[in-house]
Amino acid sequence: MVKTMNLSEVFSFANTDKRLLAIADKVQNNERLTEEEGVLLFEKGELGFVGSLANHVAQRLHHGKVYFNRNFHIEPTNVCVFTCNFCSYSRLYKNRDEGWELSMEQMLDIVRKYDGQPVTEVHIVGGVHPKMNLEFFCELLSKIKAHRPDLHLKGFTAVELDYMFRKAKLTTEEGMQKLKDAGLQSMPGGGAEIFHADVRDVICADKVDGTGWLHIHETAHNLGMHSNATMLYGHIEKYVHRIDHMSRLRQLQDKTGGFNCFIPLKFRNKDNDMSHIAESTIVEDLRLYAISRIFMDNFRNLKAYWPMLGRQTAQLSLSFGVNDLDGTIDDTTKIYSMAGAEEQRPAMSTEELCDMISAVGKTPVERDTLYNELKVYTAEEV
C-alpha cells in the first residue's frame, strides 16, 4: 500500500514550495481552496502529500467510517440516440438489433427477484431510447413503488431526462414533478462527464451540455430530491477542466445542498472511439480522488465506484479521502464492464464489502440512499 504522511510530515514536505504549504495550512484550518490552488495540487502535489491531506479531511468528516448500501441495478436498454465517443455501452437506435431493450414486465421481474431480500435501493439508468419515454418510465416507477413501497427509487441521468422532457414538450420543472409524483426519489450523477465546452464538444457534443445538466439537478434539489454528481476523468481533459467541473458542482452545492456525494469515474478505453487514449495509472487515480476530497469541501461524501476501479484500487482509495464504496450492486451492471472495467461480473456480498473495508482499518457502515446509517459493523461482526 502507498504510504501517506502524517500532518507534521506534510508541513515539512510543503516547505519546499510555499504555495503547497499555504494549501496544507488551509486544509488544516478547514478553509476553501481556490480554483488556482486546485490546479496547483494536480500540477505539483505528490501522491503522499495530497493523500495525507485528503485522509485528514475524511477523518475529520467521518471518523474512519466507510459507507455502503444494498442495492441493485436495472438497465432498461443500451439502445441510444446519442453517440458519445467514450462510450462502449450504447448501440445506436438504427442498429438496435445489436442491443437489448427490456420490457416493463422484464424490469418488474428484476424487482421481484429481490423480494424478501434486504435491499434498500434500485438504481435505474440506461441508454436514451425514443420509445421509452416519460410516460413509460412514470408507469414503471408507479408499478415498482406499488409492488415494494419501501424500496428507494433512484433513476435517470440528466441526459435521459433532458431527452424525455423535450420529447414530451414539458419544462424541466414539469417533467421532474411528474417523475416525483410517480415515485422517483433521487437521481444518479451520470452524464456529467466534463462540463467545459472545449472537452464536451469533442467527447459528447450531441447531448445535454453542462449548463443543462446542472439545471436539471438544481430543479430536482428544489423539489426536495437529492442527487449524486460525477466526473469522467482520464481522457482528453486537462487539470483546469477537472477543477472547472468540480468548481461548478461546488457552486451548485453551495446554493442547494442537494448533492449526496461526488463520484469520479475513470475513463475505460475498451471498444470505443477513444480507444487510442491510454487509461490513467493507479497513482493518478488515487491523486484524483485525494484532490477531489480536498477541493470539494461542501460534499460530505466521496464515492469510489468499485466495479469500475476494481476491488483493490477501490480499497486503496479508502486511504486517499474516499468514504463510500457504493453498494452490493449485482451482476447485471453492463455500462462499465463493456468498457473494460476491472470487475466483469460486479457483485459483492455484504460480508465481502465489510471485509474489504475493515482490512484497511476502517469501520463498515451500511447506509440508505440518503446516508442515514442503518448499521455500524463491529470488529466482531466482520
Side-chain angles (χ1 to χ4, degrees):
M1 180 176 291
V2 180
K3 182 182 183 298
T4 57
M5 298 176 272
N6 60 41
L7 276 183
S8 62
E9 290 174 317
V10 163
F11 276 84
S12 174
F13 174 85
N15 274 318
T16 61
D17 189 317
K18 291 183 179 179
R19 296 172 300 171
L20 291 178
L21 176 61
I23 289 174
D25 189 60
K26 273 191 166 185
V27 172
Q28 188 177 46
N29 293 310
N30 198 19
E31 297 175 14
R32 172 165 289 186
L33 300 192
T34 66
E35 292 186 27
E36 293 75 17
E37 288 168 330
V39 173
L40 180 66
L41 283 179
F42 276 116
E43 292 175 342
K44 301 292 185 181
E46 294 184 6
L47 180 60
F49 175 71
V50 297
S52 297
L53 293 179
N55 200 38
H56 171 75
V57 174
Q59 183 64 27
R60 181 176 66 213
L61 289 171
H62 303 291
H63 309 289
K65 292 180 177 179
V66 173
Y67 296 91
F68 69 93
N69 70 338
R70 302 194 199 209
N71 62 345
F72 66 96
H73 286 216
I74 295 176
E75 295 174 8
T77 183
N78 70 334
V79 173
C80 191
V81 300
F82 296 122
T83 55
C84 299
N85 291 335
F86 59 83
C87 185
S88 311
Y89 168 82
S90 68
R91 299 295 180 266
L92 286 174
Y93 183 66
K94 64 182 179 181
N95 298 323
R96 57 189 181 277
D97 289 343
E98 301 174 10
W100 71 81
E101 304 172 25
L102 298 183
S103 67
M104 189 169 300
E105 194 61 28
Q106 286 174 313
M107 288 187 274
L108 290 171
D109 282 342
I110 293 173
V111 176
R112 295 183 189 111
K113 185 175 75 171
Y114 292 91
D115 286 355
Q117 297 187 36
V119 293
T120 59
E121 172 192 290
V122 56
H123 180 133
I124 307 170
V125 64
V128 178
H129 192 301
K131 293 183 179 179
M132 292 182 177
N133 57 20
L134 182 62
E135 294 297 330
F136 176 89
F137 282 118
C138 284
E139 183 180 353
L140 174 67
L141 292 169
S142 297
K143 288 184 174 181
I144 294 174
K145 186 57 71 173
H147 176 74
R148 189 163 178 179
D150 63 311
L151 196 62
H152 184 101
L153 306 187
K154 181 170 78 176
F156 315 118
T157 66
V159 178
E160 295 169 87
L161 295 175
D162 174 70
Y163 185 86
M164 284 187 218
F165 300 159
R166 287 190 288 111
K167 192 172 179 66
K169 294 181 169 55
L170 295 176
T171 66
T172 299
E173 291 75 14
E174 291 168 339
M176 287 304 307
Q177 185 65 59
K178 192 173 179 67
L179 286 164
K180 183 180 180 183
D181 292 343
L184 187 67
Q185 293 166 275
S186 66
M187 288 173 53
E193 324 313 357
I194 290 288
F195 291 145
H196 199 288
D198 288 352
V199 177
R200 203 172 190 86
D201 289 348
V202 175
I203 67 172
C204 55
D206 57 349
K207 69 184 184 186
V208 65
D209 63 13
T211 300
W213 189 99
L214 290 163
H215 174 64
I216 289 172
H217 281 258
E218 181 175 358
T219 302
H221 298 173
N222 290 339
L223 289 174
M225 301 168 68
H226 286 77
S227 67
N228 294 337
T230 64
M231 179 178 72
L232 184 70
Y233 73 91
H235 43 91
I236 67 168
E237 88 285 0
K238 300 182 185 303
Y239 295 149
V240 67
H241 298 134
R242 294 180 183 180
I243 291 297
D244 171 77
H245 185 98
M246 289 192 280
S247 181
R248 294 195 211 188
L249 290 171
R250 199 170 69 171
Q251 290 169 29
L252 181 55
Q253 184 73 331
D254 279 341
K255 186 176 182 181
T256 68
F259 286 116
N260 283 325
C261 70
F262 180 55
I263 315 166
L265 297 173
K266 179 187 176 86
F267 165 69
R268 292 291 186 172
N269 65 5
K270 179 183 176 183
D271 295 333
N272 58 50
D273 291 338
M274 295 169 64
S275 294
H276 59 286
I277 297 174
E279 295 178 356
S280 62
T281 65
I282 292 176
V283 168
E284 281 304 303
D285 294 337
L286 296 175
R287 277 190 357 108
L288 183 281
Y289 277 95
I291 294 169
S292 298
R293 178 61 285 169
I294 298 164
F295 189 81
M296 305 290 275
D297 56 16
N298 56 1
F299 277 69
R300 183 168 177 82
N301 301 295
L302 177 65
K303 180 188 295 186
Y305 188 64
W306 67 262
M308 171 58 80
L309 283 177
R311 301 180 192 208
Q312 185 176 23
T313 304
Q315 186 181 47
L316 278 173
S317 75
L318 299 180
S319 297
F320 292 85
V322 168
N323 71 288
D324 188 280
L325 290 178
D326 198 274
T328 49
I329 319 289
D330 61 18
D331 63 1
T332 65
T333 304
K334 302 180 183 71
I335 291 177
Y336 298 115
S337 62
M338 291 172 69
E342 294 294 331
E343 301 289 337
Q344 292 299 298
R345 292 183 63 81
M348 230 196 297
S349 68
T350 300
E351 291 74 20
E352 287 175 311
L353 272 168
C354 287
D355 287 344
M356 191 167 80
I357 294 166
S358 61
V360 292
K362 306 289 185 179
T363 302
V365 180
E366 183 180 348
R367 60 166 176 83
D368 66 11
T369 304
L370 302 180
Y371 285 84
N372 297 304
E373 294 186 3
L374 302 180
K375 180 176 181 179
V376 179
Y377 285 79
T378 64
E380 292 74 22
E381 293 175 295
V382 176

